[in-house]
Amino acid sequence: MPSISYYQGRSALQNVQEALQAAKKYDKYHALLHLTEKRALERAAQVDNGAISGRLAGVPFVVKDNYLALDGATTAASRMLEDFETPLQATVIERLEQEGAICIGKTNLDSFAHGSSTENSAFGLTKNAIDPTKVAGGSSGGSAVAVALGIVPFALGTDTGGSIRQPASFNGVVGVKPTYGMSSRFGVVAMASSTDVMGCFALNGKDAELVTEIMAGNDPKDMTSLPDYFKPLEDVSSIGSLKIGMIGDFMTEDTDSGVRERVTEYVDSLKMAGHSVSTVKLPMAKYSLAMYYIIVPAEIASNLARYDGVRYGSRAKDTTTLDELYGLSRDRGFVAESKRRILIGNYVLSSGYFDAYYQKAQQARQLLIDEFDALFAEFDVLLSPVVPTTAFGIGENTDDPVKMYLSDAMTVGVSLAGLPALSVPAGNANGMPVGVQLIGQRKSDAVLFALAKSMEATDD
Ligand code: GLN
């Protein structure tokens, strides 16, 4: 599978044409919602004539269709935004373009990023790159599959509760969830503003780190973006021997035995590489799904209130009353999962229930953060599986939202605490990829990359 270096120093036009051809060849996976062919070819010509240069000159990539990006609609895989053409681009896309990268298309996702399988897209599901009878994972399923199929060497996704890490794990690629606030959220359709982060998929740690470095940095247009801090470590061996804690709560019988085996093997190779690994407890972890599915719907209900067919979003036709206009626009514009979350969110925020649910969940969130902080006082890195299972069958969990939510059990806590995490491939179980989650203290992203890269080298 060609990584970034394959594309560097070649004709940008050739790169773009090859990527477009591959996208068409793999059409049946439905990783892409549309191609940004016109703009990609224009930019390729500019790279080839020297008007644009940079560290990613002529390297093709794709973006999840909830990033505002030029050339065609930004739909968030929803009917609500199916005709929305953006006048501006997300800050992180601008940064990648300044380095010469070329976006060739927009990828499929669970509508508004609500889901764990990319089956909630209003435009049809995406299939897993390894086994097309299985789900892609989600919500950034299209981006993960595009990289796993080799259409492009990297892709952008968003991760609110696992949407980069989980599909990376399901398709055997590297997924990056940076520290909350490291890269700008400006120009990306908001899901839950207190946990949304912008990250990438790539084939190896080196590529993922380079893309992350370009995306990172303060943005005055995003109030929550942190001052610049991310800098890759020049020498991976400078991390020395790390103290790593394996989260025991995620290695119980609730996790598939094949997944546990691969994680255990990864732990063994960490030890062989000179790191110490011991099992640690994170007792609040068992409440993290409950917290997440209160706090995040509350933020979703607030963020999605703007899409009413009047202020934002497509408007229902032939309505006679204002109520009907709002009601029908939202009914048509949102998929069932988004409606469920809007209902839950408004419920937990309503007076009478606010204290019992939303407030409680925020208090529990603080306890979880305290537990993570206590562990990071002692350990450099924490480790766990990314998902309790490998990719499940298409349609297997669609009738049972709670079963679907279980897929997020090991990723949502990290999001609630704003921590950085990588999903790195760790072999297969029953023929399907398994990912290991490497978790760091806030702002320690560079250590995670160094560790992941050093382990890739050991694997060779
Ligand atoms: N699967 C999780 C959810 O459905 C995470 C989604 C995300 O990170 N966007 O909320």
Side-chain angles (χ1 to χ4, degrees), residues 64 113-116 138-139 158-163 191 292-293 341 408:
K64 187 177 183 178
H114 305 161
S116 315
S139 62
T158 61
D159 191 314
T160 302
S163 281
M191 177 175 165
Y292 177 88
Y293 278 100
R341 293 179 187 214
D408 307 327

Side-chain angles (χ1 to χ4, degrees), residues 428-439:
N428 289 353
N430 303 323
M432 294 304 290
V434 172
V436 164
Q437 181 172 224
L438 302 174
I439 309 161

